[in-house]
Amino acid sequence: MTTPPTAPEIVGDVEGAAPLAPPRGPSLPSAIGAVLAGQLARARVARGPLLFVATVQSVGILVLMRGVVSPHQRATASAVVAGATVLVVAFVGLNLLAQRIGALKAASALDYYGALPIAPAAFVLGVAGAYAAFTVPGALVTAVVGVLLWGLPAGGIWVVLPVCVAAGLALCGVGAVIGLAMPRPELATVAGQLAMTAILFLGVIPAARFPAGLDVLRHLAPGTLAVDALAAVLHGTGSVGGVAWRLLVTAAYGVVALAVAGRLFRRALDR
Amino acid sequence: MGHPGAVTADTATGAVIRVRGVDKAYRNRGGEPVVANRAIDLDVGRGEVVGLLGPNGAGKSTLVRQLVGLARPDRGSISLLGHDVVARPRLSARFVGYLAQTEPALDDLSVSSAIETTARLRGVPRREATRVAAELVDELDLGDVSRRPLARLSGGQRRLACVAAALAGDRPVLVLDEPTTGLDPSARRGVWGAIARRRERDGTTVVLVTHNVVEAEQVLDRVAILDDGIVIACDTPGRLKAAVTDDVRLELVWREPPPYDDATVAMLASRARVEGRRWQVRLPHAEARPALDRLLTGPAYGALDDFTLATPSLEDVYLALGGRSDDLERE
């Protein structure tokens, strides 16, 4: 039954001829910008309620902790406020992003980006950037509420912005890795939830009260240094150099995670 | 706008796509290996519109995913405009405008911004991308829905918007996986027209996956028929049909149970593919006419609701070549 699949219309071939130069793709910043714009359009549809939930969760934790930590325990209060603020970033950047990428992968939606002349990094950074941007309002609200509850100095609130950038990179990077690495979307959701819960405990429990032996985990968590940087500023003990250094290391964590996500992206396509 | 993939003289007469000996297997959800493509050879010349026709599961989409660099063959070679895209899979994305079978990535975007975003991601500058999107909205008659998100459109409109996005950025090669599935006849003609214009204007090469035999016969220069991962035939629709030219297709629709004691009815029943009241029989031209005459003048006529006698279609070619599935579309 098999007939040879010949191509009768072909009169020659390109072997030996110079291959056609491929058309240029967009530059990396332009590709990231286009992916980001597309994801932000999605934000208008779906992110509002979820961001509200993320903020309510963190504010709820602050109210709860206000019953335990008195305004005199300024160091502890600063750590709690910083942990709850970074938790907003973890909720959106890690949990929701892992879910979103897991769902995109399961629906074969990654094919769209994989068949475009953009680096995998452009996709990962574009999506992660959009999710990191969603976190800013919730993180600011949480930090302001915390400052008011414990009467902490409000002058350092602006540090929430660089904290969102650095922690956003790190937590979105881990979220992207989870979303791409998990074989099924349900597993990505569970892993994202578990990772966010880990960030919650590792971030909100002040370093000084951490059980001995478990502080290694705290150091390994992607958001810890960002929590420490913000806590130091809110407590009034942070030096510019110390804060910058912690945020740079956090951002570097994110760069490594995003690079791993870029590699996983190609592998996720060839299913 | 200049055509970014304007084809040079070196490649003007050559195979734009050359596939040799491609094997591909993947693991299904249960972890079992599924052979999707076996020993696929295929050449597509510049400006040709070549179709991959076959039932669901024949391996068409797996093959095109390898053409666009989303999957790597287990064995074999694929060259695109002279480039080895198995060794450098990301090069494909720079030559090819690809439409996947589904495009959920675009669901949240409006029609215009889906096209514009795709154009930008293909390297078209922002302002020009806006113009490209407006032109494609006009060309495919999407003006009424251009500001609505794809997720809120009907299946046909959404598909049409995704086709428009695939056409954005004028790539020298288009790989379209079922571009007209779910479209109404007028939108389908709109897509065929858009493909024809690009072929004439830019010499665009098109590989189009379909399981619609009408589309295959009306639009394609050549058809590769896939079954169970193998190309079982590849030629022009006319030549493929000529290969089974002795046969015609007799379709009978019964109003009442057919009289099986009639010799002609019994003969046809033994060779018919039966779908409810509808029988479809392929038989040599010389036999078909007298059989139909006997039906129309004999006792079977009273039970017959409708009949048609037609020349062979690509579906008949598929069946004559040993194709076993019956889920090709005929409308």
Side-chain angles (χ1 to χ4, degrees):
Chain A
M1 76 169 193
T2 305
T3 53
T6 53
E9 313 300 336
I10 304 297
V11 291
D13 65 61
V14 292
E15 281 174 16
L20 177 69
R24 297 180 71 83
S27 66
L28 184 64
S30 155
I32 294 170
V35 175
L36 186 70
Q39 291 299 318
L40 289 174
R42 177 182 160 74
R44 285 196 289 274
V45 182
R47 287 284 81 85
L50 292 168
L51 188 51
F52 177 75
V53 172
T55 311
V56 166
Q57 173 183 260
S58 281
V59 170
I61 287 169
L62 289 181
V63 172
L64 189 74
M65 293 300 282
R66 179 63 184 80
V68 182
V69 179
S70 79
H72 304 297
Q73 300 168 283
R74 292 180 70 92
T76 306
S78 304
V80 168
V81 174
T85 303
V86 171
L87 180 62
V88 178
V89 186
F91 184 91
V92 177
L94 201 161
N95 186 17
L96 295 186
L97 183 63
Q99 277 184 43
R100 169 77 174 148
I101 290 186
L104 284 173
K105 185 181 158 194
S108 301
L110 298 183
D111 280 11
Y112 170 78
Y113 296 101
L116 289 167
I118 57 171
F123 164 74
V124 174
L125 277 169
V127 179
Y131 274 70
F134 302 154
T135 68
V136 173
L140 271 174
V141 168
T142 305
V144 168
V145 170
V147 161
L148 293 176
L149 280 174
W150 278 279
L152 297 170
I157 288 287
W158 65 272
V159 177
V160 171
L161 291 175
V163 162
C164 279
V165 173
L169 264 175
L171 293 163
C172 287
V174 175
V177 167
I178 290 173
L180 289 165
M182 290 295 150
R184 295 214 306 272
E186 312 86 76
L187 291 177
T189 302
V190 171
Q193 287 275 8
L194 286 175
M196 185 197 69
T197 309
I199 299 293
L200 163 65
F201 285 113
L202 299 173
V204 172
I205 298 173
R209 306 220 181 146
F210 226 75
L214 285 181
D215 51 349
V216 177
L217 285 178
R218 191 177 185 278
H219 292 305
L220 288 176
T224 301
L225 283 175
V227 173
D228 290 348
L230 183 57
V233 171
L234 293 175
H235 189 220
T237 56
S239 68
V240 173
V243 169
W245 170 247
R246 285 168 178 150
L247 293 184
L248 277 174
V249 173
T250 303
Y253 198 122
V255 170
V256 171
L258 290 168
V260 172
R263 295 208 80 120
L264 289 172
F265 177 79
R266 295 304 308 179
R267 200 192 291 172
L269 295 173
D270 194 0
R271 54 186 191 270
Chain B
M1 182 181 77
H3 181 235
V7 177
T8 64
D10 286 336
T11 56
T13 56
V16 168
I17 301 172
R18 167 169 282 228
V19 179
R20 286 291 177 275
V22 161
D23 291 349
K24 178 71 179 172
Y26 61 88
R27 291 191 181 276
N28 65 14
R29 285 205 152 201
E32 296 151 3
V34 177
V35 177
N37 292 147
R38 279 183 286 178
I40 301 269
D41 290 351
L42 185 70
D43 286 323
V44 184
R46 183 188 172 230
E48 262 199 304
V49 180
V50 170
L52 305 178
L53 176 73
N56 290 328
K60 309 182 295 292
S61 293
T62 304
L63 178 57
V64 297
R65 291 185 83 254
Q66 293 168 90
L67 293 183
V68 301
L70 290 170
R72 283 171 75 96
D74 299 330
R75 256 182 303 282
S77 65
I78 300 174
S79 82
L80 201 62
L81 289 151
H83 296 274
D84 176 355
V85 293
V86 176
R88 299 176 66 197
R90 282 175 57 188
L91 264 186
S92 293
R94 292 164 69 178
F95 289 118
V96 178
Y98 173 58
L99 172 71
Q101 215 168 9
T102 56
E103 291 285 25
L106 299 174
D107 272 359
D108 297 312
L109 301 180
S110 73
V111 172
S112 288
S113 61
I115 304 170
E116 190 180 328
T117 300
T118 309
R120 284 181 63 194
L121 289 170
R122 292 204 175 113
V124 178
R126 184 193 293 246
R127 197 168 295 172
E128 205 171 316
T130 309
R131 187 179 57 76
V132 164
E135 283 173 5
L136 279 161
V137 162
D138 276 350
E139 185 177 8
L140 291 176
D141 204 14
L142 285 160
D144 291 344
V145 293
S146 65
R147 291 172 183 276
R148 287 170 56 188
L150 267 69
R152 297 207 194 136
L153 302 181
S154 72
Q157 287 171 325
R158 188 188 309 185
R159 194 67 188 146
L160 197 56
C162 293
V163 171
L167 298 178
D170 285 337
R171 302 287 98 173
V173 179
L174 292 172
V175 174
L176 309 174
D177 196 342
E178 299 190 16
T180 58
T181 298
L183 298 191
D184 62 43
S186 128
R188 195 177 295 176
R189 279 194 297 278
V191 171
W192 293 344
I195 291 171
R197 276 189 290 281
R198 279 155 184 78
R199 187 244 288 265
E200 275 178 29
R201 188 186 69 202
D202 306 324
T204 304
T205 302
V206 183
V207 174
L208 186 154
V209 173
T210 182
H211 52 144
N212 183 306
V213 289
V214 176
E215 178 165 84
E217 289 178 17
Q218 295 196 358
V219 182
L220 305 179
D221 298 323
R222 281 191 302 126
V223 187
I225 301 183
L226 267 83
D227 187 55
D228 203 14
I230 301 171
V231 177
I232 57 175
C234 182
D235 211 329
T236 65
R239 280 188 226 171
L240 286 172
K241 288 197 282 188
V244 289
T245 194
D246 279 349
D247 285 357
V248 290
R249 190 162 21 90
L250 176 61
E251 282 191 23
L252 304 170
V253 184
W254 299 100
R255 181 186 307 143
E256 294 166 21
Y260 286 98
D261 51 352
D262 181 88
T264 306
V265 171
M267 180 273 287
L268 292 173
S270 67
R271 297 157 74 168
R273 201 173 77 193
V274 178
E275 290 171 9
R277 300 185 303 126
R278 190 178 296 269
W279 290 13
Q280 203 179 95
V281 196
R282 262 193 321 119
L283 68 179
H285 184 259
E287 278 181 53
R289 255 241 152 90
L292 186 58
D293 282 346
R294 288 197 300 277
L295 283 181
L296 298 181
T297 54
Y301 183 66
L304 204 56
D305 192 36
D306 197 8
F307 68 93
T308 49
L309 188 62
T311 53
S313 71
L314 283 175
E315 184 183 20
D316 299 305
V317 174
Y318 167 74
L319 294 169
L321 290 169
R324 290 177 300 279
S325 179
D326 61 357
D327 67 357
L328 293 178
E329 284 177 16
R330 288 162 222 125
E331 290 171 6

